[in-house]
Amino acid sequence: MASFWQCALLLSLASAVAVFADMKLDCGPDFMTLVWTESRPQADTSLLRLGSCFPTSFSAREAYFYVDLTDCNFRRVVTGDALFYTNDLSYVPAPGSHNLAFTHPVVCAYERPKDWYPSIYDPVFKTYGLGDLLFNIGLMNDDFSGPAESTRFPLGSIIPIMASVDQKTHQPLLLLLDECVAATTPELHPESTMYPIISNKGCLLESMTSRTKFEPRQKSSEIRLSLQTFKFALGEEVFIHCKLLAWDPNGLDSTKKACHYVKGRGWELLDNLAHNSLCDCCESKCKSRRQRSIASGKHGMVQKAVLGPLTITDVNS
């Protein structure tokens, strides 16, 4: 990122916060510094957090952060010619304090290089609690041997997508795509126009009417999807929003699965054809007999990812 044009977007503070504090943000090539200055005498600057990071140093009135953009749960979004790294500066007062809690957006923006494209090896997000799991998702070339060289795909062509989880010393986990939708925005809103790809707890709906399919697994911690392009937002930027689920491979059921439709044979389970019955609910409603909490981390962890932007082009235009 050293060659990027660097700038910072300082979003306005809520009026109640702006009266009492000042923030200075400096976005470097692959790091950022932030200085938060308080005027409230009772405010405890050690309680400020930038994403998941504590202040690098603090005094009675100031909190100072010096962090890499790959740390602190920064979110990366590419749109048009810009690359954004976003996070939240938050303050949770101690019990009994009269100071108010707040969350303030922090954004670093850079010019997107002409030859930049998403890479499977750059983390889309990072989460903690299960052996420091690190999830990745990206566009791949035709044989899944490396990152795609373009983000433009003619209508009817195949978009190779691979997701993976780095489980480090954690027990082996199976990576699943719980849900994926296409949208024209990097964030989903109630009014967003969406195109469903995977829904109903791992059912690849798009495989029913196209050449879309899950590819055979190379390892349990990866999942590969060959997605045939579809008539949605032709010529516009498209973002694919997915929920990635890392789960105990011995704990699959009708809500923890990867199913695709094979012409002439029906719904098939990617990982074990002997248990295709787990896919029987794909045209109705998939639900588990036992209610298990994903958030507890007992069996696995789910995280959201955004892939894009990519563009589907109309070959006839």
Side-chain angles (χ1 to χ4, degrees):
M1 282 198 302
S3 62
F4 290 3
W5 166 67
Q6 302 162 17
C7 73
L9 298 182
L10 298 180
L11 303 183
S12 61
L13 287 165
S15 58
V17 176
V19 173
F20 300 110
D22 175 63
M23 187 177 81
K24 295 180 180 178
L25 178 65
D26 183 17
C27 298
D30 53 9
F31 65 91
M32 61 147 290
T33 61
L34 185 152
V35 180
W36 181 268
T37 304
E38 277 281 354
S39 61
R40 293 174 293 180
Q42 302 302 319
D44 185 350
T45 57
S46 70
L47 298 178
L48 286 159
R49 300 288 182 269
L50 179 59
S52 60
C53 288
F54 291 78
T56 306
S57 63
F58 60 88
S59 64
R61 292 194 57 215
E62 286 189 346
Y64 172 74
F65 295 86
Y66 178 94
V67 298
D68 291 336
L69 294 174
T70 55
D71 292 336
C72 309
N73 288 353
F74 269 93
R75 301 173 293 274
R76 186 182 65 187
V77 175
V78 182
T79 177
D81 295 326
L83 173 64
F84 297 95
Y85 284 87
T86 68
N87 213 326
D88 295 305
L89 181 73
S90 60
Y91 180 80
V92 179
S97 172
H98 296 294
N99 291 316
L100 298 176
F102 68 83
T103 299
H104 174 55
V106 175
V107 182
C108 283
Y110 303 86
E111 182 180 3
R112 176 184 176 185
K114 301 301 182 183
D115 59 351
W116 188 91
Y117 49 87
S119 169
I120 189 67
Y121 303 109
D122 290 337
V124 174
F125 49 78
K126 187 173 182 179
T127 187
Y128 300 89
L130 289 173
D132 195 16
L133 296 184
L134 177 63
F135 292 81
N136 305 279
I137 189 169
L139 301 174
M140 306 298 289
N141 57 18
D142 291 341
D143 61 1
F144 290 90
S145 62
E149 296 182 358
S150 173
T151 58
R152 297 179 66 85
F153 299 89
L155 184 63
S157 65
I158 296 295
I159 305 174
I161 297 172
M162 185 168 79
S164 65
V165 58
D166 182 1
Q167 50 203 18
K168 301 184 185 298
T169 58
H170 195 276
Q171 67 180 41
L173 293 171
L174 187 71
L175 187 66
L176 302 168
L177 290 173
D178 185 69
E179 178 182 294
C180 289
V181 299
T184 55
T185 56
E187 296 183 0
L188 292 179
H189 307 284
E191 65 275 12
S192 296
T193 302
M194 292 178 283
Y195 184 94
I197 299 169
I198 299 173
S199 68
N200 207 2
K201 304 297 182 180
C203 299
L204 183 53
L205 300 181
E206 194 62 16
S207 63
M208 298 182 68
T209 56
S210 71
R211 293 184 290 133
T212 296
K213 62 180 179 178
F214 288 120
E215 298 291 347
R217 285 194 194 268
Q218 304 300 308
K219 57 179 70 174
S220 64
S221 59
E222 292 180 355
I223 189 165
R224 299 180 178 187
L225 171 64
S226 289
L227 176 64
Q228 186 175 14
T229 52
F230 37 82
K231 288 185 177 180
F232 174 77
L234 295 178
E236 300 180 43
E237 288 188 340
V238 173
F239 298 84
I240 298 178
H241 299 257
C242 293
K243 290 182 181 178
L244 276 62
L245 176 63
W247 199 256
D248 180 354
N250 297 316
L252 298 187
D253 60 23
S254 60
T255 65
K256 314 291 185 302
K257 64 189 185 302
C259 297
H260 56 187
Y261 189 87
V262 180
K263 188 175 181 179
R265 300 205 297 265
W267 287 97
E268 292 187 355
L269 187 69
L270 170 64
D271 297 292
N272 190 340
L273 297 181
H275 295 285
N276 279 347
S277 60
L278 295 181
C279 303
D280 290 348
C281 61
C282 278
E283 295 184 44
S284 56
K285 178 68 173 178
C286 296
K287 52 186 178 180
S288 177
R289 294 180 180 178
R290 293 181 296 171
Q291 296 297 318
R292 293 190 269 186
S293 173
I294 294 175
S296 70
K298 183 177 179 181
H299 301 277
M301 176 65 72
V302 65
Q303 287 291 339
K304 296 180 180 180
V306 182
L307 182 62
L310 56 92
T311 306
I312 301 172
T313 60
D314 190 344
V315 294
N316 297 318
S317 61

